[in-house]
Amino acid sequence: MGLQLTSEEQDMLDGKQGKATRKSMEIITTLGEIYGAERLIPISSVQIAGVSYHNLGEAGLEYLDEMADDGRVRTLTTLNPAGMDLIEWKKHGIDEEFAINQQRVIDAFAKMGVITTCTCTPYLIGNLPHYGEHISWAESSAVCFANSVIGARTNREGGPSALAAALTGRTAEYGFHLDNNRIAQVKYEVKAKLRNTDDFGLLGQVIGERTRKKIPYIVGINRATSEELKSFCASIATYGGVALFHMEGITPNRTSIPEETEIVTQEDLIAARSQLDDADAEIDFISIGCPHASIREIAHIAELLENKQVTEGKTVWITTAKPTKDLAIKMGFYDKIEEAGAFLVSDACCAVAPLKGRFKGLMTDSAKACFYARGKNSFKTEIRTIEQCIKEATT
Ligand code: F3S
């Protein structure tokens, strides 16, 4: 049948609603044609990735400036982490030239009407779709969380396609927007004990590496907090490119249960941990908040840091969203963390900030952070619980 457009969508494509809308509609319809979509659907939320100037460079910024000329978002839109805390960047050692360029990126998004809070956990700060809503999100951990934990529907968008969705209010109906592509394909029986966010990250690593693009149906987990699920989502998306999973008794989507079954044992988790632990790691950087920390995690860290001091030669970043940081300031958690010598960093994270060459070894509770620390920044890594991370930072 081919891709059918409404008259309004055709007007957008014909340039009757401006240059940026036309360009955006070209991206959306091209994707629709490639993936065999029959129509476009309205979306209620967008999350744009590719925000750090570190990744965008001048070419990316030029594209944004061009789109900001006459492009305006038509739906709730927030951003993925940038390369720095937009306010306190100086004290985190970010250089001025980078800061100026990063701010130019943010200004371009602001001009388009984007809410310029930069976070990979938009669902913790008000960009929270409901079950069944069609959305266009780009950050892999957030995509996985939205599809699986919330039950919203999104493909894993790229930076330009997410922006295009924001500027048109549409996406093409293919992939995870359709029921048929959301059915579980392999069952994973978890026989390992999961205690903390780091364990859930390791489980995501094990299942992600095994399942690759096959949608997992996971059994054997009785309970999981939002923080544990966000860690799991980040990891399974990083190590397997997984954008949707089902977890029996925990996630809300309906699916048939696959027959093909794999077992995940305690030994699998131990092996995954040793894969992320470099024996010769010299830890001088501790980062918690990948994905961005919740207020509950920040409150816990503030308590752990009470009457303690970060050891000389070590740097601690707790990364989070700006609204969460504001709440932490109001609740006194920020003061406790900063008085101990750690930094509560908003809008940025250890993977997209320009940190290469600044540190030797990262300790974190996040399997995803280990992946990027090694790949992008050539840091050695160790994965531990949040409590162990703070202990390492202060003794
Ligand atoms: Fe978020 Fe950065 Fe981790 S974008 S998931 S904190 S690598």
Side-chain angles (χ1 to χ4, degrees):
M1 190 162 96
L3 182 63
Q4 304 290 310
L5 300 183
T6 63
S7 57
E8 197 200 353
E9 289 159 0
Q10 191 61 53
D11 282 353
M12 291 188 206
L13 189 59
D14 293 341
K16 291 182 185 162
Q17 299 193 15
K19 201 174 49 159
T21 310
R22 176 181 55 74
K23 274 199 166 181
S24 300
M25 199 41 112
E26 282 169 2
I27 294 173
I28 302 281
T29 52
T30 303
L31 283 170
E33 273 152 17
I34 291 171
Y35 291 105
E38 292 180 357
R39 58 175 187 153
L40 305 187
I41 45 174
I43 43 148
S44 56
S45 158
V46 174
Q47 195 248 4
I48 298 174
V51 177
S52 172
Y53 180 77
H54 193 50
N55 301 332
L56 277 172
E58 270 311 297
L61 184 52
E62 219 172 273
Y63 178 77
L64 289 179
D65 279 337
E66 206 187 317
M67 298 302 267
D69 229 10
D70 68 345
R72 297 296 174 267
V73 300
R74 294 172 192 238
T75 189
L76 175 67
T77 305
T78 55
L79 297 173
N80 211 37
M84 62 181 200
D85 185 309
L86 297 177
I87 295 170
E88 297 197 289
W89 53 269
K90 210 170 241 171
K91 77 175 188 191
H92 305 143
I94 302 294
D95 80 61
E96 190 149 2
E97 193 188 335
F98 180 87
I100 291 167
N101 287 324
Q102 182 62 73
Q103 193 54 54
R104 286 167 63 211
V105 172
I106 300 300
D107 292 345
F109 281 121
K111 197 172 165 196
M112 289 186 262
V114 173
I115 296 173
T116 54
T117 181
C118 306
T119 181
C120 50
T121 55
Y123 46 86
L124 293 181
I125 53 109
N127 189 353
L128 174 63
H130 189 53
Y131 179 86
E133 271 185 65
H134 293 278
I135 61 173
S136 287
W137 283 14
E139 207 286 317
S140 65
S141 72
V143 165
C144 189
F145 194 98
N147 272 326
S148 316
V149 181
I150 299 170
R153 295 176 171 222
T154 178
N155 287 316
R156 190 170 162 175
E157 302 291 347
S161 68
L163 178 61
L167 297 179
T168 57
R170 305 285 198 287
T171 193
E173 191 183 37
Y174 68 91
F176 291 112
H177 292 286
L178 298 169
D179 288 343
N180 281 350
N181 300 325
R182 299 176 63 88
I183 296 165
Q185 292 161 304
V186 189
K187 184 167 150 186
Y188 286 88
E189 223 176 298
V190 178
K191 299 206 161 165
K193 277 208 177 73
L194 303 167
R195 295 185 191 88
N196 295 294
T197 45
D198 59 327
D199 287 336
F200 274 82
L202 294 169
L203 180 69
Q205 183 188 345
V206 170
I207 297 180
E209 280 176 348
R210 276 200 214 166
T211 205
R212 292 287 153 190
K213 294 276 156 37
K214 282 193 176 172
I215 300 174
Y217 184 88
I218 301 156
V219 299
I221 298 173
N222 298 328
R223 49 152 290 284
T225 64
S226 312
E227 289 80 4
E228 288 162 345
L229 287 167
K230 77 176 163 66
S231 174
F232 179 77
C233 287
S235 189
I236 197 167
T238 298
Y239 290 94
V242 174
L244 168 66
F245 65 87
H246 302 269
M247 204 178 264
E248 199 173 76
I250 291 181
T251 58
N253 293 297
R254 282 181 291 272
T255 178
S256 51
I257 303 173
E259 273 180 18
E260 185 186 338
T261 303
E262 297 237 0
I263 310 287
V264 180
T265 62
Q266 197 66 43
E267 289 67 41
D268 292 326
L269 251 62
I270 293 168
R273 186 180 288 280
S274 68
Q275 225 175 292
L276 297 185
D277 275 354
D278 288 309
D280 56 345
E282 208 182 301
I283 302 300
D284 53 358
F285 184 42
I286 293 96
S287 183
I288 303 166
C290 171
H292 271 176
S294 67
I295 193 67
R296 179 160 51 183
E297 286 173 315
I298 291 170
H300 180 50
I301 292 163
E303 197 186 323
L304 291 172
L305 281 170
E306 212 162 348
N307 301 321
K308 297 212 174 74
Q309 273 301 311
V310 171
T311 315
E312 214 185 313
K314 300 201 182 198
T315 300
V316 180
W317 277 25
I318 319 298
T319 51
T320 192
K322 180 69 168 57
T324 312
K325 180 172 176 176
D326 289 342
L327 183 57
I329 291 171
K330 201 170 156 202
M331 297 302 295
F333 306 143
Y334 172 88
D335 282 346
K336 282 188 189 159
I337 289 169
E338 299 260 332
E339 275 160 20
F343 295 120
L344 185 60
V345 178
S346 61
D347 299 312
C349 82
C350 64
V352 296
L355 297 178
K356 196 167 184 160
R358 276 183 58 183
F359 304 109
K360 295 191 201 91
L362 168 76
M363 182 179 282
T364 176
D365 67 323
S366 164
K368 176 174 179 175
C370 290
F371 180 89
Y372 283 100
R374 286 173 166 187
K376 280 184 81 176
N377 290 331
S378 311
F379 298 159
K380 305 269 182 183
T381 62
E382 281 182 8
I383 183 164
R384 296 288 184 275
T385 63
I386 288 180
E387 292 75 11
Q388 287 167 330
C389 286
I390 297 300
K391 199 168 173 208
E392 172 71 28
T394 53
T395 46

